Amino acid sequence: MTLLTWLIFLPVLFALAAYLLPRPQWILWLSVIGSLVVAVNAGLVAASAWTEPVFAQSNNLFVDSLSTFHIIIVAVVFAFSSIYAKFYFEPHLADESFDINQARRFGGLWFLFLAAILFTLITNNIGLMWVGLEATTVFSALLVGLRRDEASVRSAWIYLILCSVAIALALLGVLIVCAEAQTVGATGSSAYLWTKLLEIAPLMHSGPLQLAFLFAFVGFGTKAGLAPMHSWLPEAHSQAPTPVSAVLSSVLLNTALYCLSRFLPILEPAAPGWALKILIPFGLISVWVAAVFMLHERDIKRLLAYCSVEHMGIIALGLGFGVPAAALFHTLNHSLAKMTAFFSAGALVQRFGTREMALMGKTLRVMPGAGAGFLFSLLALIGTPPFAVLISELWIAQAGLGGGHVVAVTFFLVGIALIYVAVFRHAVKMTWSNVADPKGHDGRVPVLLMALPLLVLVVLSFWIAPEFRDLLNRAASVIGGAP
Amino acid sequence: MTDYGEVLLVILLLLDLYMVSTHRLISCIKALVVQGVVLAALIFPLSGIGMNSSVPEIIDAVVSLMIILIIKGIFIPWMLFRFYRKMGSPREFEPFISLHLSQFVNGLLIGVAFWAASVLPWPGKTGKSVALGIGLATMLIGLFMTVNRKKALSQVFGYLVIESGLFVISWTILGQSSLLIDIGSLLDLLVAVMVLGVLATRMEKDWKEPSATAGGTPS
């Protein structure tokens, strides 16, 4: 068993273990320990694949710099979110609303979800990559509906049916690419391997590849939350238990965009720049749809969910402007900031007993840690210095101008300015306005859990470690644009 | 494309139209069983695997056939039937558009599908427009079914029809069945339908019609 196969097996084993444990507290501890163990494994895989791609299982598993980059984000986010989950579910342990059955479901699904994401990232077979992504949809839908109350079950339903239908279209896109590969000579199962597809990309015809990309874009784009296919996202991300929301926004959306970005270098030789032309308008639409909805949003978690739509749009813009390095850097920044935002928002919601922002006030006084965490992560998300989110946004805008997309960049900047104003207002009101006393029970979140990612974001805006910058550039060159 | 292959494709299309035209969930479940059998039978004519193919290819195709028969022809309809009973055997469901208008839309979708099959740049194989057209039509009709239904469980039928159309298209353009992906996507389908059924049953039994409203206790 190689490191790579353990990367999938370990979470599956932990999922099974979760079903065998008798007490909810133990399952929460298992989720922490398990994610840390998987994170170590992921670190070892990343180290081995840092400069050269790694193959396993006769080329069916494949980790290059792009996969490595995403694996690191997954490992970090899951580890942090598991620690947060322990604090999040603790008040529910006391009142027994988080009983052994719910705990077992959480533990089992949490790790199965992790296994599915990692599988999607390390498989070389694009058909199996699709299978992995659909599996993530099923497991995460069950996590969204964990509480089994009316609202969350409905949200889980909308999420599952919409995303499953959408990625059925993505499968059609995948199959068209494989069929085209067979037409130009790839035999048997090699037609499904991404490495083979990359090799024969110059031989393939542009027509079928473009058709395939359209289907894949609709499918994977829906899963990534790009507008106008995003309607499931505010429901699912807000109704899910907060640790699940954090992982959905910070990891799953990235994975969907990862699947889409695997198509870009395959299309590039036959139809240069064509796919990028599709990414730009949908990136802009996502930013603007998010802006419009965020202006009037009252629910704290839905606000964060629309924020995810905005940032996925920005990442799509980065890919469309031909700077995948900026897009990937933004992916990292967004994941760190969004995760922190959800942790602090979750604690605030528990403490105030409501998700309505108008009913939350003086957060710095009521909950200094979570209040500050939310304020700073929100500021980070909308692009305030000294957090790195602003840096990646400016990088993307600069690249857009350099490529001559002046109109697009204008719309982009106006869009994020609107969002800045809207969200800044919310943040100020929550932090300083006078409202009624908090009605909820205890919500705790360790300050370190929020401070660390925010600190990293500050550091990243001034300095990126040279080895990491190299990884970023190598990952970007896999996607195929200028670093 | 053999003659019986074309007959099976036409039966597939007629089953789609039947499912759209019927009020009753139980009739849809029966239609799904027949559709599973027809799909399984379509593997050989669509993929072109026959007496001239290599033994491994034939074995792959036979295994795919068995799995489709078992999962789409038996297991999934059985599961749906059990969910249907758990919900109290609701007799009728109402679509958003009337049945007559639905059939008109179906006709349009079939037209669009055949146009797409002949005009769009499909990889390689030409002369397979009939299979491609019917596969696309099935997908489009399935999409329409998903959108047009109010009751949650009936949206699942639309999803299953989409997947059937996807299978037809994939065998037509790929020429050989990829066993791994067939199994993978069928397992995904199975689990997705299970979860959808569980969610739908919960929504039906405990609360009223599913709708896209948010709300509920803060989390």
Side-chain angles (χ1 to χ4, degrees), chain A residues 285-355:
Chain A
I285 294 173
S286 302
V287 172
W288 273 84
V289 164
V292 166
F293 280 92
M294 280 162 89
L295 273 169
H296 299 291
E297 190 52 64
R298 298 159 54 98
D299 178 320
I300 193 174
K301 287 178 73 174
R302 285 176 71 101
L303 184 77
L304 292 177
Y306 278 112
C307 187
S308 296
V309 173
E310 173 211 350
H311 284 280
M312 288 303 122
I314 297 176
I315 296 171
L317 271 175
L319 291 172
F321 288 153
V323 270
L328 288 172
F329 188 46
H330 194 78
T331 308
L332 172 68
N333 297 335
H334 169 250
S335 295
L336 289 174
K338 185 51 63 68
M339 163 178 92
T340 313
F342 267 114
F343 295 164
S344 44
L348 288 172
V349 167
Q350 284 182 314
R351 187 77 180 83
F352 281 91
T354 176
R355 292 208 307 264

Side-chain angles (χ1 to χ4, degrees), chain A residues 2 4-5 54-63:
Chain A
T2 60
L4 282 186
T5 37
V54 168
F55 290 84
Q57 305 287 72
S58 48
N59 291 1
N60 281 310
L61 297 181
F62 166 71
V63 177

Side-chain angles (χ1 to χ4, degrees), chain A residues 4 7-8 61-64 66-75 114-124 128-129 132-133 136 251 254-256 258-259 262:
Chain A
L4 282 186
L7 201 59
I8 312 297
L61 297 181
F62 166 71
V63 177
D64 60 6
L66 185 62
S67 315
T68 304
F69 185 80
H70 278 96
I71 287 173
I72 294 174
I73 299 181
V74 171
L114 178 58
I117 290 181
L118 289 170
F119 179 71
T120 310
L121 293 174
I122 71 174
T123 177
N124 196 7
L128 291 182
M129 181 180 78
L133 198 65
T136 66
V251 162
N254 298 347
T255 310
Y258 163 88
C259 293
R262 282 288 181 196

Side-chain angles (χ1 to χ4, degrees), chain B:
Chain B
M1 170 68 69
T2 56
D3 290 335
Y4 83 87
E6 294 199 335
V7 170
L8 285 173
L9 282 170
V10 171
I11 295 178
L12 190 73
L13 196 59
L14 290 173
L15 282 170
D16 300 334
L17 297 175
Y18 174 69
M19 275 200 263
V20 173
S21 70
T22 178
H23 270 302
R24 297 161 61 202
L25 281 169
I26 194 74
S27 311
C28 269
I29 296 178
K30 290 181 192 167
L32 275 179
V33 174
V34 180
Q35 197 171 67
V37 174
V38 168
L39 269 178
L42 271 169
I43 294 187
F44 281 100
L46 282 181
S47 57
I49 295 178
M51 304 307 282
N52 305 327
S53 312
S54 62
V55 176
E57 278 184 348
I58 296 181
I59 294 181
D60 273 359
V62 170
V63 174
S64 284
L65 187 154
M66 300 295 311
I67 295 179
I68 293 198
L69 201 56
I70 293 173
I71 293 187
K72 289 204 84 168
I74 303 176
F75 208 62
I76 288 184
W78 173 75
M79 263 197 325
L80 288 171
F81 183 66
R82 284 195 54 204
F83 288 128
Y84 167 76
R85 290 293 279 266
K86 263 194 179 164
M87 287 193 227
S89 309
R91 295 225 71 205
E92 295 191 359
F93 57 82
E94 290 161 26
F96 282 112
I97 333 184
S98 76
L99 288 180
H100 294 297
L101 197 54
S102 301
Q103 290 295 30
F104 178 67
V105 172
N106 275 346
L108 274 176
L109 291 174
I110 296 175
V112 168
F114 273 90
W115 170 83
S118 58
V119 160
L120 293 178
W122 300 95
K125 336 234 156 200
T126 48
K128 289 245 183 174
S129 290
V130 172
L132 209 48
I134 292 186
L136 277 172
T138 307
M139 274 189 86
L140 286 175
I141 293 175
L143 265 170
F144 175 58
M145 274 178 78
T146 314
V147 162
N148 191 28
R149 300 299 187 200
K150 285 181 188 163
K151 264 196 166 44
L153 198 63
S154 37
Q155 289 173 357
V156 183
F157 292 115
Y159 175 52
L160 288 166
V161 171
I162 294 174
E163 292 279 341
S164 304
L166 198 59
F167 272 115
V168 169
I169 299 177
S170 79
W171 294 325
T172 309
I173 62 177
L174 280 168
Q176 64 182 70
S177 59
S178 163
L179 189 61
L180 209 53
I181 298 183
D182 278 347
I183 294 181
S185 54
L186 278 168
L187 281 177
D188 264 338
L189 186 68
L190 182 64
V191 178
V193 171
M194 263 198 304
V195 174
L196 285 167
V198 165
L199 292 175
T201 315
R202 198 155 285 135
M203 286 194 286
E204 184 73 18
K205 269 174 57 182
D206 300 342
W207 313 295
K208 283 299 176 185
E209 287 297 316
S211 58
T213 51
T217 52
S219 65

Side-chain angles (χ1 to χ4, degrees), chain A residues 223-249:
Chain A
K223 194 79 205 312
L226 291 175
M229 298 97 67
H230 68 288
S231 52
W232 57 272
L233 207 159
E235 300 293 327
H237 287 214
S238 61
Q239 291 297 331
T242 309
V244 175
S245 309
V247 166
L248 288 177
S249 271

Side-chain angles (χ1 to χ4, degrees), chain A residues 102 246 270 274:
Chain A
Q102 201 177 96
W274 181 84

Side-chain angles (χ1 to χ4, degrees), chain A residues 121-325:
Chain A
L121 293 174
I122 71 174
T123 177
N124 196 7
N125 181 322
I126 59 173
L128 291 182
M129 181 180 78
W130 179 88
V131 169
L133 198 65
E134 170 68 10
T136 66
T137 313
V138 175
F139 295 138
S140 53
L142 286 167
L143 281 168
V144 167
L146 191 77
R147 283 191 329 271
R148 294 194 169 178
D149 64 22
E150 183 174 356
S152 57
V153 168
R154 272 198 229 288
S155 304
W157 169 269
I158 294 172
Y159 171 41
L160 188 54
I161 192 98
L162 230 128
C163 284
S164 296
V165 167
I167 71 174
L169 295 173
L171 182 59
L172 185 55
V174 166
L175 295 173
I176 293 176
V177 172
C178 299
E180 176 60 18
Q182 281 180 349
T183 323
V184 298
T187 49
S189 55
S190 72
Y192 300 92
L193 295 181
W194 184 81
T195 42
K196 180 72 179 176
L197 291 171
L198 194 67
E199 196 187 300
I200 61 174
L203 300 172
M204 295 199 270
H205 305 100
S206 57
L209 287 181
Q210 289 167 322
L211 184 64
F213 185 76
L214 286 175
F215 281 116
F217 181 77
V218 171
F220 293 131
T222 305
K223 194 79 205 312
L226 291 175
M229 298 97 67
H230 68 288
S231 52
W232 57 272
L233 207 159
E235 300 293 327
H237 287 214
S238 61
Q239 291 297 331
T242 309
V244 175
S245 309
V247 166
L248 288 177
S249 271
S250 308
V251 162
L252 190 52
L253 301 180
N254 298 347
T255 310
L257 278 183
Y258 163 88
C259 293
L260 191 62
S261 54
R262 282 288 181 196
F263 275 74
L264 294 175
I266 297 178
L267 247 79
E268 199 53 31
W274 181 84
L276 308 187
K277 293 206 193 94
I278 305 209
L279 285 164
I280 296 175
F282 283 94
L284 282 175
I285 294 173
S286 302
V287 172
W288 273 84
V289 164
V292 166
F293 280 92
M294 280 162 89
L295 273 169
H296 299 291
E297 190 52 64
R298 298 159 54 98
D299 178 320
I300 193 174
K301 287 178 73 174
R302 285 176 71 101
L303 184 77
L304 292 177
Y306 278 112
C307 187
S308 296
V309 173
E310 173 211 350
H311 284 280
M312 288 303 122
I314 297 176
I315 296 171
L317 271 175
L319 291 172
F321 288 153
V323 270

